[in-house]
Amino acid sequence: QVQVVESGGGLVQPGGSLRLSCTASGFRFSSYVMSWYRQAPEKERELVAVIGAAGGSTRYGDSVKGRFTISRDNAKNTVYLQMNSLKPEDTAVYYCKAEYRQNYWGQGTQVTVSS
C-alpha cells in the first residue's frame, strides 16, 4: 500500500522557522523525484521545491528561494522542507509529491504564519 504522509505543520510567527517532513512507503523511494507544493485558499497550486532522486539536484520556486531548503534521506524514505524567515504569504497547505513512472501525493499539512 502506497503512503505519502506529511507532518510538521503548525502556527508560527512571521520571521520564524518550521521544518516539514514527508515519509513515504509502498514504493521504491530512492527512484522518485520528490517535490513540495503549496496551495493557499482560492489560489493555484504552487511549486515550492524539487529534489532529485539521489538528492544531488534541487530547484526552488522564486517566492521561497533563499529561505527554504529541501533535502532527503533515502535510508529513512523521508524528504524535508526547512522553512526559514517565514512570511504571512507562506500560509498554505503544503503537499508532498513523489514522481517517477507514477505520481503520488500526500494529504497535506497546514502551515499558518501569523502574529
Side-chain angles (χ1 to χ4, degrees):
Q1 182 177 354
V2 170
Q3 288 188 291
V4 179
V5 181
E6 303 95 334
S7 62
L11 175 64
V12 64
Q13 294 184 15
S17 297
L18 210 57
R19 188 177 79 156
L20 305 183
S21 298
C22 171
T23 299
S25 61
F27 60 95
R28 190 178 180 89
F29 181 82
S30 62
S31 294
Y32 281 71
V33 173
M34 301 298 298
S35 302
W36 288 96
Y37 287 79
R38 68 187 183 186
Q39 188 164 22
E42 306 299 320
K43 295 194 66 178
E44 296 179 356
R45 184 181 62 184
E46 175 188 26
L47 175 68
V48 176
V50 184
I51 187 165
S57 179
T58 59
R59 178 163 51 88
Y60 298 90
D62 289 341
S63 63
V64 308
K65 198 169 300 181
R67 300 187 297 120
F68 291 10
T69 302
I70 189 170
S71 62
R72 68 191 293 164
D73 186 342
N74 285 349
K76 297 182 180 294
N77 284 9
T78 301
V79 62
Y80 305 95
L81 185 68
Q82 178 66 47
M83 305 185 294
N84 298 326
S85 301
L86 283 162
K87 305 173 180 179
E89 48 263 49
D90 296 318
T91 296
V93 177
Y94 283 71
Y95 296 94
C96 179
K97 178 190 177 186
E99 181 174 6
Y100 185 47
R101 300 182 190 276
Q102 299 185 74
N103 297 342
Y104 305 108
W105 290 87
Q107 80 292 336
T109 186
Q110 176 71 48
V111 172
T112 302
V113 184
S114 177
S115 60

